[in-house]
Amino acid sequence: MSTERDLKEFKVETRTITEVQSEPVYPTGRCGPVLARIPVVVSQSKVHIGIESKVCFDHSVLEIYSNSRKVYLTQCKLLNTGNKRYGKIYLNGYVSENIAYATYCLKDREYGNKKNTSADVLYKALKVPFECVTKIEYCTFPVFKTSNGFITVALPDKENIPEDSYFSGERFFCELDEASICESNVERKKRFSGVSAKEDSFDTLTEYLELSITFTLLQWQQVRIPGYLTNNLI
């Protein structure tokens, strides 16, 4: 018997999409000088944070297959020291980790007279908090309504409350531009000497991470944009 006769025929509906012509639309706007309210870059900085974290697993670990990480900022504060060139930023956040690891079967499975001793793959999710304070240099002097105090900076990815400075006079906000993690060293140990597993297994993992964060501090400001630049300003 031919196998081609056993194959079922399926009808596939198709349609032809006609290409149409487009014409360019050139944007128009008023000529300067213009007074605009725009987000101005106050400072862009890069910080390096050392983190030591201890991870305790619920089962004896044979091997770690993967470890994915993401960096999140949860709080940002700007300290106005009265200096026109420098300020201080306080950052809080966490590193979200998802670890896939192999462990012995939680329950030995029997198939006939044979017992299966294969490994199971489990997952563990955790948050590694971090915080730091760093001195930043202003590339544009910010506009302050308060002096010598902390100013809460809004984060675009976080739900802001009405008392945040984003809704007040200062209107600062911070953007996380780039984050990278370098794993410098890993130490593996057993919490209990009586763990019934291989000698190379472990259930405690100590990580030493070097976290690099590039962030931009912005502020809504009223800026006068000139219509043209004179020759001596070019």
Side-chain angles (χ1 to χ4, degrees):
M1 182 180 294
S2 175
T3 57
E4 295 183 357
R5 297 179 180 179
D6 298 335
L7 297 178
K8 296 182 180 180
E9 294 184 359
F10 294 93
K11 293 184 179 180
V12 180
E13 296 183 359
T14 62
R15 62 189 179 94
T16 302
I17 301 177
T18 305
E19 182 179 354
V20 297
Q21 293 183 348
S22 64
E23 57 183 69
V25 177
Y26 300 99
T28 59
R30 57 169 295 180
C31 298
V34 178
L35 184 64
R37 174 168 291 184
I38 57 177
V40 175
V41 177
V42 173
S43 177
Q44 190 171 33
S45 306
K46 187 175 184 178
V47 294
H48 304 279
I49 308 170
I51 303 175
E52 176 183 349
S53 64
K54 184 177 181 181
V55 183
C56 296
F57 296 91
D58 299 328
H59 309 281
S60 182
V61 180
L62 299 176
E63 183 182 358
I64 293 180
Y65 288 135
S66 63
N67 190 353
S68 60
R69 299 184 178 99
K70 291 184 180 180
V71 180
Y72 297 90
L73 291 179
T74 57
Q75 190 178 42
C76 180
K77 288 186 177 182
L78 173 64
L79 176 60
N80 176 20
T81 61
N83 195 312
K84 293 186 178 182
R85 291 189 57 188
Y86 301 98
K88 283 189 176 182
I89 281 286
Y90 290 77
L91 294 176
N92 292 75
Y94 64 90
V95 179
S96 176
E97 291 194 48
N98 291 293
I99 304 176
Y101 62 96
T103 185
Y104 286 110
C105 289
L106 304 182
K107 293 183 179 179
D108 293 334
R109 304 181 180 92
E110 293 186 0
Y111 299 92
N113 295 327
K114 296 182 179 179
K115 182 178 292 186
N116 182 27
T117 58
S118 62
D120 286 333
V121 178
L122 301 180
Y123 300 89
K124 187 176 184 64
L126 62 148
K127 293 181 179 181
V128 181
F130 66 86
E131 61 179 359
C132 70
V133 55
T134 183
K135 184 179 180 180
I136 60 173
E137 182 178 357
Y138 298 136
C139 57
T140 303
F141 184 67
V143 178
F144 293 111
K145 293 185 177 296
T146 58
S147 60
N148 299 326
F150 283 99
I151 301 172
T152 303
V153 179
L155 299 171
D157 297 334
K158 183 183 177 184
E159 184 179 356
N160 299 292
I161 54 179
E163 56 264 27
D164 281 348
S165 69
Y166 187 78
F167 299 94
S168 62
E170 278 82 3
R171 295 177 63 88
F172 286 100
F173 60 99
C174 178
E175 291 184 349
L176 179 60
D177 300 327
E178 185 180 359
S180 61
I181 298 176
C182 178
E183 186 173 348
S184 59
N185 191 14
V186 174
E187 184 179 2
R188 303 174 179 182
K189 292 184 178 180
K190 291 184 179 180
R191 281 178 291 174
F192 309 104
S193 58
V195 176
S196 58
K198 292 184 178 180
E199 293 297 329
D200 56 350
S201 64
F202 60 95
D203 52 12
T204 300
L205 179 67
T206 303
E207 300 176 320
Y208 301 92
L209 308 176
E210 178 75 16
L211 173 61
S212 299
I213 294 178
T214 303
F215 63 94
T216 302
L217 180 65
L218 303 102
Q219 183 186 33
W220 284 91
Q221 295 184 6
Q222 289 189 182
V223 180
R224 186 174 296 278
I225 303 175
Y228 61 92
L229 294 177
T230 58
N231 294 331
N232 59 351
L233 295 179
I234 296 177

